[in-house]
Amino acid sequence: MPSEEQLRDVEHAMVAELARLRWRSGLSLKAVCDAVGGGLDPTRLSRILRGERAMSLWQFVGLCRVFDRSPGRLVDEACRVMLDPLALRDLAPFLELMPKRK
């Protein structure tokens, strides 16, 4: 069973990957929010993608859909990143932009 700290690290990697996918897509925060729907606003999305606010399950699934990723694959990739130093190196610039969670 993963520790609480390991789960936070995986969550952090998932958020960093979503931020990277948004950056690569070139979509504005508003365009992503419109695609996700459900009342997600750009300010909240920005805070989610900076790791300042937790996302709900529907927001996570909606973001995965917008970026054409299966939620399971994104979770698997986040777990791999936290265990593979080379993968972690690739995501490091995005992880460094996010504040540390307490």
Side-chain angles (χ1 to χ4, degrees):
M1 183 79 162
S3 70
E4 196 172 317
E5 182 178 348
Q6 289 170 318
L7 290 174
R8 277 195 300 272
D9 288 345
V10 168
E11 179 185 23
H12 199 71
M14 288 169 34
V15 169
E17 177 63 7
L18 287 169
R20 187 186 71 79
L21 290 169
R22 187 192 79 85
W23 177 76
R24 287 187 65 205
S25 75
L27 293 172
S28 69
L29 290 169
K30 182 173 180 350
V32 173
C33 289
D34 291 345
V36 170
L40 183 62
D41 64 80
T43 301
R44 179 172 290 191
L45 177 58
S46 176
R47 293 184 68 208
I48 288 170
L49 295 179
R50 288 193 317 263
E52 297 173 0
R53 183 175 176 97
M55 71 182 120
S56 69
L57 180 59
W58 73 263
Q59 290 167 334
F60 173 67
V61 171
L63 289 168
C64 287
R65 183 179 47 79
V66 168
F67 300 124
D68 198 29
R69 284 290 166 97
S70 76
R73 179 175 172 204
L74 198 132
V75 171
D76 285 345
E77 288 173 357
C79 289
R80 181 185 55 81
V81 162
M82 297 317 296
L83 299 174
D84 179 355
L86 293 177
L88 184 57
R89 182 197 65 200
D90 293 341
L91 200 53
F94 293 95
L95 290 170
E96 288 174 9
L97 294 174
M98 299 173 64
K100 299 286 184 213
R101 286 212 173 168
K102 296 179 181 174

